[in-house]
Amino acid sequence: MLRAVYPGSFDPVTFGHLDIITRSAKLVDELIVGVLVNNAKSPLFSVEERVKILEKTVENIPNVKVIPFEGLLVEFVRKMEAQMVVRGLRAITDFEYELQMAQTNHKLEPELETIFLTTSLEYSYLSSSTVKEVAAFGGDISQFVPHIVIERMQEKMDKKGECKL
Ligand code: PNS
């Protein structure tokens, strides 16, 4: 049984993440989307909200599970009995950070491999931070994120009295 973990903050999940999830789910028996609980970036969505949004987003992909995690990724991967980590690479700017993370994880857990999928061309510019910025200034984010994200963001912004999406 080949099981992989696709970890991230997913604040919020974008079509770029979904692209990596869909493609990597085809390569393994089970894909676990690991949602980081403690995020120093003070997330827009709580971990519970991010998990719910992701579950809804991947509901049609039968071999994908969404599970929150705290602490070291290598511990989570061990607990999940997964053999590898999947990450998406958009551009050269991602490379340094991703290399550092993959090599650190490999040092911590030598049996663990990280595999990289290059993001599909149409999503190579996309990030959760830019989506949040566009939304905060009232821009249309429908080409960047699943519909459920727009609904949840709209609710958040309405509560805060910020711009409409
Ligand atoms: O979506 P992100 O924010 O780029 O994902 C980063 C993530 C969650 C993969 C990374 O921050 C992580 O693995 N955090 C857990 C803590 C950890 O294991 N750190 C050591 C690896 S350098």
Side-chain angles (χ1 to χ4, degrees):
M1 165 99 160
L2 182 57
R3 190 180 283 129
V5 169
Y6 176 44
S9 307
F10 306 106
D11 185 43
V13 60
T14 67
F15 285 138
H17 295 127
L18 196 54
D19 170 52
I20 299 294
I21 293 173
T22 310
R23 287 163 51 212
S24 52
K26 288 182 191 155
L27 304 176
V28 296
D29 298 304
E30 188 171 75
L31 181 73
I32 292 165
V33 178
V35 185
L36 185 68
V37 173
N38 274 342
N39 192 328
K41 299 174 199 161
S42 63
L44 173 67
F45 290 106
S46 70
V47 70
E48 292 80 13
E49 290 170 322
R50 284 178 278 143
V51 166
K52 271 195 198 143
I53 291 171
L54 269 158
E55 279 173 346
K56 186 80 192 145
T57 307
V58 302
E59 67 186 358
N60 293 326
I61 318 175
N63 63 333
V64 176
K65 275 187 190 161
V66 183
I67 302 182
F69 79 99
E70 234 173 330
L72 281 181
L73 175 62
V74 289
E75 297 294 345
F76 177 64
V77 173
R78 201 176 293 147
K79 208 168 105 193
M80 292 297 110
E81 297 179 356
Q83 297 85 10
M84 62 189 190
V85 165
V86 175
R87 290 285 287 172
L89 270 184
R90 286 167 301 189
I92 193 75
T93 42
D94 281 341
F95 184 75
E96 207 172 327
Y97 171 62
E98 293 297 335
L99 182 72
Q100 196 179 28
M101 227 170 29
Q103 289 180 336
T104 307
N105 288 334
H106 193 73
K107 278 279 177 199
L108 293 172
E109 180 63 69
E111 290 297 303
L112 180 64
E113 296 294 350
T114 300
I115 63 156
F116 295 101
L117 295 190
T118 50
T119 306
S120 296
L121 208 54
E122 65 262 46
Y123 305 122
S124 59
Y125 62 91
L126 195 52
S127 77
S128 299
S129 339
T130 50
V131 166
K132 282 184 278 193
E133 184 159 335
V134 172
F137 288 110
D140 177 11
I141 55 166
S142 59
Q143 54 190 318
F144 307 141
V145 294
H147 189 68
I148 183 172
V149 173
I150 303 179
E151 283 175 6
R152 297 292 174 272
M153 279 182 107
Q154 183 70 68
E155 286 163 16
K156 290 246 173 230
M157 303 244 174
D158 285 350
K159 267 191 210 155
K160 280 186 178 171
E162 288 179 18
C163 315
K164 290 247 169 210
L165 298 179

